Amino acid sequence: MTSSNDPKPVVYIVDDDHSVRAALQDLFASVTLDAMAFSSIREFLEHPRTAGPACLVLDVRMPAQSGMDFYLQMDSLGLRMPVIFITGHGDIAMGVRAIKDGAVDFLTKPFRDHDLLDAVHTAIARDQQRLHQEEILSELQRRWESLNTGERDVLRLVVRGLLNKQIAAELSVKEITVKVRRARVMQKMRAASFADLVRMADQLELGAETRRNS
């Protein structure tokens, strides 16, 4: 769900063909989508990007660096926005590879405006979901960091399904101490139930960590 205070989505276009860039900017403007166009990957990387949802319409074949090679580098550069490939020289194998690697779509020129707009709306929705999940994880991380060492130990053992008595034996503390720490964990993590706490731990990958150590 978005509100009027949320940043507007931005469509970034990288294509070395000026006429393509101009046509795509006109297309996105016609449906009130903000778009920014760049003639090269280097130009795109040098330009500051907004913090809100976005997607990248990326030409496959460009003089300095291919869009496909850049796509494979994006994660290491901290760029996680969805990508839609466009190309005048693509083939089915290339398209299949791009989709398997996570691209939203692979469109060969000339493509229908409707197909590109559908892909862009899908990509922006995917990026909004990603940003939402990152916000949730960031909040859970803040709650986890508010726990002291003893409370974190109790949380790890609670999500393994141990009873208070077993946790007390595991940590060499009294059972009442475990109860107090467990109550604080529930309060600080803002967990409404045990199931809620387990889901939070899974999201923080504590569940995986404790299962590996069990």
Side-chain angles (χ1 to χ4, degrees):
M1 181 180 292
T2 60
S3 73
S4 58
N5 295 324
D6 291 333
K8 283 192 69 178
V10 176
V11 182
Y12 296 102
I13 305 160
V14 179
D15 195 307
D16 61 317
D17 188 325
H18 172 74
S19 63
V20 171
R21 296 197 304 273
L24 293 183
Q25 284 191 293
D26 287 344
L27 172 64
F28 295 135
S30 71
V31 292
T32 67
L33 272 171
D34 288 350
M36 302 179 71
F38 305 91
S39 62
S40 68
I41 290 166
R42 179 177 178 180
E43 188 180 328
F44 166 66
L45 289 175
E46 289 176 347
H47 194 281
R49 287 169 292 280
T50 65
C55 71
L56 175 61
V57 177
L58 181 61
D59 189 22
V60 171
R61 182 174 292 184
M62 288 181 284
Q65 182 183 19
S66 80
M68 196 67 75
D69 287 343
F70 174 63
Y71 178 63
L72 298 177
Q73 296 174 358
M74 284 179 63
D75 199 47
S76 64
L77 296 173
L79 294 169
R80 297 183 177 83
M81 68 180 70
V83 169
I84 300 156
F85 282 108
I86 56 174
T87 181
H89 308 279
D91 54 31
I92 292 176
M94 189 182 293
V96 169
R97 177 187 163 197
I99 298 299
K100 282 186 174 179
D101 286 341
V104 174
D105 211 337
F106 188 93
L107 303 174
T108 54
K109 303 172 184 174
F111 45 78
R112 296 185 305 171
D113 292 349
H114 179 76
D115 290 339
L116 178 59
L117 290 175
D118 279 352
V120 164
H121 287 304
T122 298
I124 288 173
R126 186 183 293 183
D127 206 40
Q128 286 172 327
Q129 180 66 20
R130 176 186 66 83
L131 292 171
H132 179 62
Q133 291 300 324
E134 287 182 356
E135 285 179 12
I136 291 174
L137 187 58
S138 178
E139 172 58 26
L140 288 179
Q141 190 64 39
R142 281 194 290 274
R143 295 177 193 178
W144 162 256
E145 289 170 358
S146 74
L147 303 180
N148 61 36
T149 302
E151 290 161 353
R152 292 181 184 184
D153 290 340
V154 167
L155 189 155
R156 288 190 178 97
L157 297 174
V158 164
V159 299
R160 280 172 52 187
L162 272 64
L163 302 174
N164 288 343
K165 185 181 295 185
Q166 294 171 309
I167 296 173
E170 185 89 15
L171 298 179
S172 300
V173 297
K174 294 181 178 179
E175 189 173 348
I176 185 65
T177 301
V178 174
K179 290 180 179 177
V180 170
R181 290 178 184 176
R182 186 169 182 156
R184 287 178 182 162
V185 167
M186 296 294 287
Q187 181 182 26
K188 290 183 178 180
M189 294 300 291
R190 300 180 202 171
S193 64
F194 170 71
D196 200 18
L197 187 65
V198 171
R199 279 193 291 272
M200 291 178 180
D202 277 345
Q203 285 180 281
L204 287 165
E205 296 186 341
L206 291 175
E209 177 186 332
T210 51
R211 281 192 292 275
R212 284 195 297 272
N213 295 331
S214 62

